[in-house]
Every structure is written in structure tokens, then in C-alpha cells.
């Protein structure tokens, strides 16, 4: 097996372990980190992608913030716990935040 293939397999394995780790703790502590609204967009090939909308109490900015996690990540990377949530920090400062889930 080539070195490139080995690196790719390790990256995929690490991504899967991180996803399992987050899923375990979310289920264990019963965290429901959904947005104020959840919308679904259907792709051309039939996948339904969730888009979570976090509404600020007082909107201070006209432009919304749209966050999209990268490969091997999901919305919990931006909104896992209250003290370290980028989404909730932006929302508390008046931004209209949209956070998408990828496939």
C-alpha cells in the first residue's frame, strides 16, 4: 500500500473516531443542540441536508452568518457546549446564524 493511501486511511479513521466520540457524549448527556429552527434542503440526488437557524434575541446586523463544517466534522464542532459555542456566541452578539449539516 502506498504512503498516500496509508495517510488517507488514517485521516478517515481519525475522522470516524472523532464522530463516534462526539455522538457518544451527545447521547450520554442528552444534549439537544438544535437551532431555533431546522430547515431541510433537498439536493438533486435526493439527499436531505439540515440547515439550523439560530435567531438572536435582538438582531444587530443585516447580513447573516452561514457556517459550514469541513470534512469529518458536523454542527457539533461549532455548537457542542454552551461555554465554547461559536454559534451561540455569535447569536448572543446579534448575528443571525445559519449552520448546515453536510452529508
Amino acid at each position: 500500500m502506498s504512503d498516500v493511501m496509508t495517510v488517507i486511511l488514517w485521516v478517515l479513521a481519525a475522522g470516524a473516531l472523532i464522530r463516534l466520540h462526539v455522538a457518544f457524549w451527545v447521547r450520554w448527556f442528552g444534549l439537544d443542540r438544535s437551532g431555533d429552527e431546522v430547515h431541510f434542503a433537498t439536493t438533486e440526488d435526493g439527499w436531505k441536508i439540515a440547515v439550523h437557524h439560530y435567531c438572536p434575541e435582538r438582531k444587530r446586523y443585516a447580513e447573516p452568518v452561514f457556517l459550514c463544517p469541513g470534512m469529518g466534522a458536523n454542527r457539533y464542532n461549532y455548537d457542542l457546549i454552551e461555554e465554547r459555542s461559536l454559534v451561540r456566541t455569535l447569536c448572543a452578539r446579534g448575528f443571525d446564524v445559519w449552520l448546515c449539516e453536510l452529508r
Side-chain angles (χ1 to χ4, degrees):
M1 186 180 300
S2 70
D3 291 337
V4 174
M5 189 60 118
T6 303
V7 169
I8 290 172
L9 288 175
W10 275 107
V11 168
L12 290 174
L17 285 174
I18 290 169
R19 190 168 182 102
L20 285 171
H21 176 75
V22 170
F24 170 78
W25 288 109
V26 167
R27 190 171 301 254
W28 179 263
F29 288 111
L31 297 175
D32 179 23
R33 305 302 288 182
S34 295
D36 299 320
E37 303 170 355
V38 180
H39 302 271
F40 291 93
T42 305
T43 64
E44 290 180 2
D45 57 353
W47 282 81
K48 290 191 183 231
I49 297 177
V51 181
H52 298 264
H53 183 211
Y54 297 80
C55 304
E57 287 185 25
R58 193 179 82 198
K59 191 174 177 180
R60 297 178 60 199
Y61 302 95
E63 294 82 17
V65 174
F66 188 82
L67 299 173
C68 181
M71 183 177 165
N74 59 21
R75 66 184 162 95
Y76 293 109
N77 291 74
Y78 293 116
D79 188 27
L80 181 58
I81 60 173
E82 199 71 34
E83 299 82 34
R84 304 215 192 285
S85 172
L86 175 63
V87 170
R88 297 193 190 270
T89 300
L90 290 170
C91 194
R93 295 188 181 189
F95 287 97
D96 189 26
V97 183
W98 294 81
L99 176 59
C100 75
E101 286 271 10
L102 297 180
R103 298 180 184 199

